[in-house]
Amino acid sequence: MTIEQTLLADDVRVRIFKALADGTRLQIIRTLKESGVEMNCGEVGEKCEASKSNASYHFRTLREAGLITVRKEAQTKYIHLNVETFDSYLPGFLSSI
């Protein structure tokens, strides 16, 4: 691995750890993991007891870190875990929560 690749991977790790350093975002990850399927943003927000604007902020942070993906269908946004990111950077993390 070159120095540039190492620095790029470290940048990704920093974004991931910053995204996971919040109780609400951990709860979102746990909720999505336990459901096993994609959920709409409103469902996740309700289960995590987050307001729409607060949940939106947390979803954006998780998406930018590559931990979730968002799919829009008409007016509804659906989110699900990006398991590949967890497997690459945090193997075993999902089974620990």
Side-chain angles (χ1 to χ4, degrees):
M1 185 178 277
T2 68
I3 292 175
E4 291 82 16
Q5 290 171 324
T6 301
L7 292 175
L8 182 60
D10 285 349
D11 183 51
V12 171
R13 287 182 185 94
V14 167
R15 278 188 272 133
I16 289 171
F17 288 125
K18 282 183 179 181
L20 292 174
D22 181 89
T24 301
R25 290 192 287 269
L26 282 174
Q27 191 175 5
I28 290 168
I29 295 296
R30 188 175 293 114
T31 299
L32 290 169
K33 178 198 167 248
E34 290 172 355
S35 78
V37 295
E38 71 180 5
M39 298 174 70
N40 73 49
C41 294
E43 292 173 320
V44 176
E46 281 180 27
K47 289 192 180 238
C48 297
E49 298 178 0
S51 68
K52 187 175 180 178
S53 63
N54 190 337
S56 178
Y57 164 75
H58 291 301
F59 295 147
R60 184 180 72 238
T61 302
L62 291 168
R63 182 182 46 78
E64 288 173 353
L67 298 174
I68 64 170
T69 58
V70 179
R71 175 180 69 85
K72 186 172 181 180
E73 186 175 301
Q75 296 296 320
T76 306
K77 290 183 180 180
Y78 295 92
I79 57 176
H80 66 278
L81 290 177
N82 187 350
V83 178
E84 295 81 23
T85 299
F86 284 98
D87 290 345
S88 296
Y89 292 95
L90 300 168
F93 179 81
L94 289 175
S95 63
S96 74
I97 60 169

